[in-house]
Every structure is written in structure tokens, then in C-alpha cells.
Amino acid sequence: MSNNSERDHSDSEDDEDDLSNEILDLDAFNQLLSMDDDTDEDYEFSREIVQSYLEQAKSTFADMDQALSVKDLSKLSSLGHFLKGSSATIGVKKVQECCKHIQFLGKLHNMDGQGSVDEDEALKLIAKELRIGKEEYVKANEFLGFFYETDFTDGDDAKDPSD
């Protein structure tokens, strides 16, 4: 019976590793963690960077919503580029990917940066990518809060970046 318990625990750890791999680029996140003081068990430095990122991402998503509402493709491309870079620094890879797509679409390129799309198609695809990016932001916020044993929402509903 203990073998099953050990296996169940190991499976649980594997599930957690899979989840972290799905949400984070672990190489990028580990680089961030390496900037913490070796004696700092609370990861204070990286926690502050992550908190700033989460606040910045929430604000950027709101700006993207506004730009989408007025069909400002140039602004959407610029905001996508900005948040793509911030997300890459932390390792929030699915938000980074959605923002890369928004950056390209805002320039009327396909999501892979090749070819072209018309404005209506670009706006439709940007709306979809923005929705997915926000969902992934929520997952990253929850996961990072779990990792740092803190609530990054601070009571201001930061989990929903569309407000």
C-alpha cells in the first residue's frame, strides 16, 4: 500500500511540474529566482518583480481593451510588443505567445508574422487572443501566488484583468 501512496505522491509532484511547465518557462523563471539573495528564503526581490509584472499586465490588458474598442491596430501592436517582453522576462509563456500574436496582427500580419490579414480579420483574431491572454494571466497570477505563498490580488480584483 505504501508503494501506491508513494506513487500517488510522485504523480502529484509530476502534475505540479507539468502545471508549472504549462504556465511558466521554467528557465526564464529560474533566472529570475537566481537574482534573489541566497539567504532570502522569501524570494523578496523576485516577488516584487512578479508583483510589478502582474500589476503592469493588468493595466496593459485594460489599455488593450480600450485600443480594441476604437480599432487602434497600431496601439494594439505596440501594447502586444510591450507585454510580450515583460511576460518573457518573468517566463509567463502563454501570455507572451498571445501578445506576440497581437503584435503581429496589429501590423496586419498573420499570427506567425508571415503573410497578411485584413483589418476585420485582425480585429477578430486580436479579440480572441486578448481573451486567451487574460485567461492565461489569471492562471499565472494564481500559480505565482501559490509559489510565493501570497495573494497578489490584494483585494482589488487583480485576477480579472478586464475590469
Side-chain angles (χ1 to χ4, degrees), residues 23 53-54 56-69 76 83 87 92 94-99 102 126-142 157-163:
I23 295 171
Y53 162 77
L54 292 169
Q56 177 186 77
K58 181 180 178 187
S59 174
T60 303
F61 280 129
D63 292 344
M64 286 177 163
D65 283 333
Q66 176 62 30
L68 183 61
S69 73
L76 285 160
L83 188 52
S87 298
V92 183
K94 289 193 176 180
V95 172
Q96 175 188 356
E97 182 178 327
C98 289
C99 289
I102 291 169
I126 287 171
K128 180 182 176 186
E129 290 297 311
L130 187 53
R131 179 185 51 77
I132 294 168
K134 290 176 186 179
E135 291 169 0
E136 295 301 326
Y137 164 87
V138 170
K139 291 177 189 176
N141 188 330
E142 290 171 353
D157 199 24
K159 286 187 177 182
D160 185 359
S162 61
D163 288 343

Side-chain angles (χ1 to χ4, degrees), residues 78-97:
S78 176
L79 290 167
H81 176 75
F82 172 73
L83 188 52
K84 176 187 77 173
S86 300
S87 298
T89 299
I90 303 299
V92 183
K93 62 185 179 182
K94 289 193 176 180
V95 172
Q96 175 188 356
E97 182 178 327

Side-chain angles (χ1 to χ4, degrees), residues 141-159:
N141 188 330
E142 290 171 353
F143 182 83
L144 291 164
F146 175 77
F147 177 84
Y148 286 104
E149 298 177 349
T150 193
D151 181 5
F152 287 116
T153 62
D154 233 2
D156 70 349
D157 199 24
K159 286 187 177 182

Side-chain angles (χ1 to χ4, degrees), residues 13-26:
E13 285 179 4
D14 289 345
D15 290 346
E16 287 176 20
D17 287 345
D18 289 346
L19 179 62
S20 63
N21 261 333
E22 180 180 319
I23 295 171
L24 295 177
D25 172 344
L26 295 179

Side-chain angles (χ1 to χ4, degrees), residues 10-11 13 22 39 41-42 51 71 83 91 104 133 143 147:
S10 175
D11 288 347
E13 285 179 4
E22 180 180 319
T39 62
E41 294 177 12
D42 293 329
Q51 183 163 4
K71 301 178 180 182
L83 188 52
F104 288 142
F143 182 83
F147 177 84

